[in-house]
């Protein structure tokens, strides 16, 4: 299985931006997704991207604020997060997923270890 490593998390004030990166250990021509889990809450899909990067999907809560992208030559998937809100505070995980057309974490094949995002008001 591919090894996934997230980075780029941190603490930011509301309205700020962060860019998360997920680097895969090998060339990964598969759909990818970003998921998040806040304390006491279930894991939810944030954004997905198709294997080639041409198709994306977003949770309604982040549409217009977050952008998922990938650079397959660099074996990296990104999540640009703008206009961050305190409700975005969570551990963010990237994953290889079966299809980008579903935001369900049940479609994940392999997970990264996560990176913490904390947004203060």
């Amino acid at each position: 299985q591919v090894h996934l490593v997230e980075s780029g998390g941190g603490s930011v004030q509301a309205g700020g931006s962060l860019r998360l990166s997920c680097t895969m250990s090998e060339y990964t021509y598969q759909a990818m997704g970003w998921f998040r889990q806040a304390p006491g809450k279930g894991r939810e899909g944030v954004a997905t991207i198709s294997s080639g990067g041409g198709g994306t999907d977003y949770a309604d809560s982040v549409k217009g604020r977050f952008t998922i992208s990938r650079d397959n030559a660099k074996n990296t998937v990104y999540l640009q997060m703008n206009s961050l809100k305190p409700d975005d505070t969570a551990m963010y995980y990237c994953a290889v997923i079966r299809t980008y057309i579903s935001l369900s974490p049940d479609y994940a094949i392999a997970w990264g270890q996560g990176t913490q995002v904390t947004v203060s008001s």
Side-chain angles (χ1 to χ4, degrees):
Q1 284 281 354
V2 62
H3 180 56
L4 311 173
V5 178
E6 302 97 331
S7 62
S11 297
V12 65
Q13 294 183 9
S17 298
L18 287 172
R19 188 181 73 163
L20 307 183
S21 298
C22 175
T23 299
M24 291 81 84
S25 61
E26 60 194 63
Y27 185 80
T28 307
Y29 195 72
Q30 295 178 269
M32 300 289 295
W34 284 98
F35 303 81
R36 66 187 182 186
Q37 187 166 18
K41 299 181 180 179
R43 191 166 298 186
E44 64 176 355
V46 176
T48 60
I49 189 165
S50 62
S51 57
T56 59
D57 195 21
Y58 297 91
D60 288 341
S61 60
V62 307
K63 283 181 179 176
R65 300 189 298 120
F66 291 11
T67 302
I68 188 170
S69 62
R70 68 191 299 163
D71 186 341
N72 285 340
K74 296 181 178 179
N75 297 329
T76 302
V77 179
Y78 305 96
L79 185 67
Q80 179 66 47
M81 305 185 294
N82 299 326
S83 301
L84 283 162
K85 305 175 180 179
D87 285 349
D88 296 319
T89 296
M91 184 73 75
Y92 283 71
Y93 302 88
C94 68
V96 179
I97 57 177
R98 292 184 175 89
T99 173
Y100 82 94
I101 63 173
S102 175
L103 290 167
S104 172
D106 293 340
Y107 283 83
I109 297 171
W111 295 94
Q113 84 291 341
T115 185
Q116 179 68 40
V117 172
T118 302
V119 184
S120 63
S121 61

